[in-house]
């Protein structure tokens, strides 16, 4: 358990470092993303997803990790996405970037931290009710795209990576 906490701390610090170096902590980048005028944040997150996808499936195939697929619950995903989007739109930071902003000394990021804590407390308090309602709406079970398509993840992941590279090229061409 202690090793997991240390790994979490180290990877969190590294992620924060890359957030800062990628300039995604900047308020103008956040607003540019929300207005679909600056794709820096999208490019950063997609790069993390692509690298993570390749890494996770490689580690899985080598037998070094075991995937823990969570159920896809549409009701919870839609409501959670709306709350996340509302908070991001109001504050100008998503949860990770609000923590990075605090790390850079921008105290307006504290609102994001307070929002995360309030949201976690609210979720914990309302969980018994949500377990019988929201968390059952549109429960599709433990699904993955390769599983739905019935094909190897080594077909799906490269297709997504190539599509992402094409998207990045298009963003650069459009100067986004």
């Amino acid at each position: 358990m202690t090793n997991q906490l240390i790994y979490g701390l180290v990877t969190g610090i590294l992620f924060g470092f890359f957030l800062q170096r990628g300039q995604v902590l900047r308020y103008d980048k956040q607003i540019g993303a929300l207005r679909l005028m600056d794709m820096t944040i999208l490019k950063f997150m997609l790069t993390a997803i692509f690298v993570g996808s390749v890494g996770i499936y490689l580690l899985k195939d080598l037998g070094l990790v075991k995937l823990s697929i969570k159920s896809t619950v549409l009701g919870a995903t839609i409501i959670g996405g709306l709350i996340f989007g509302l908070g991001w739109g109001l504050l100008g930071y998503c949860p990770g970037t609000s923590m990075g902003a605090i790390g850079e000394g921008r105290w307006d990021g504290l609102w994001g931290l307070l929002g995360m804590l309030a949201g976690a407390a609210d979720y914990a308090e309302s969980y018994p009710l949500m377990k019988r309602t929201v968390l059952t709406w549109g429960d599709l079970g433990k699904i993955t795209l390769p599983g739905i398509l019935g094909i190897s993840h080594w077909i799906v992941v490269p297709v997504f990576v190539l599509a992402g590279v094409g998207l990045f090229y298009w963003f650069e061409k459009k100067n986004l």
Side-chain angles (χ1 to χ4, degrees):
M1 178 70 167
T2 304
N3 282 345
Q4 287 179 328
L5 293 175
I6 292 170
Y7 293 148
L9 177 63
V10 170
T11 56
I13 290 170
L14 284 171
F15 188 64
F17 172 78
F18 289 124
L19 284 172
Q20 200 279 331
R21 295 299 299 159
Q23 299 183 354
V24 298
L25 300 177
R26 293 179 37 190
Y27 182 76
D28 60 313
K29 298 290 183 185
Q30 295 286 320
I31 297 303
L34 289 169
R35 297 178 67 207
L36 302 175
M37 298 176 75
D38 186 337
M39 296 297 136
T40 301
I41 293 172
L42 181 63
K43 290 187 274 188
F44 179 88
M45 292 309 297
L46 284 176
T47 300
I49 290 167
F50 296 148
V51 170
S53 296
V54 171
I56 289 293
Y57 279 114
L58 185 62
L59 291 172
K60 178 187 175 288
D61 288 350
L62 292 172
L64 298 173
V65 298
K66 182 180 162 197
L67 296 182
S68 177
I69 308 295
K70 305 299 180 215
S71 288
T72 300
V73 182
L74 298 178
T77 302
I78 292 167
I79 292 170
L82 289 170
I83 293 169
F84 176 91
L86 181 64
W88 186 18
L90 288 173
L91 183 60
Y93 296 119
C94 69
T97 57
S98 67
M99 296 300 292
I102 293 168
E104 284 187 336
R106 289 185 272 130
W107 297 109
D108 58 336
L110 280 174
W111 290 108
L113 175 61
L114 293 174
M116 284 187 277
L117 293 173
D122 184 45
Y123 182 83
E125 198 60 35
S126 59
Y127 181 77
L129 173 64
M130 290 194 304
K131 189 175 180 183
R132 295 186 310 270
T133 58
V134 174
L135 298 177
T136 64
W137 300 343
D139 188 347
L140 303 178
K142 297 180 178 192
I143 60 173
T144 64
L145 191 55
I148 290 171
L149 298 174
I151 58 177
S152 168
H153 51 264
W154 289 118
I155 295 172
V156 175
V157 171
V159 167
F160 271 98
V161 170
L162 289 173
V165 169
L167 185 63
F168 290 178
Y169 175 76
W170 184 74
F171 286 156
E172 291 301 315
K173 195 171 178 181
K174 293 289 184 182
N175 207 19
L176 296 173

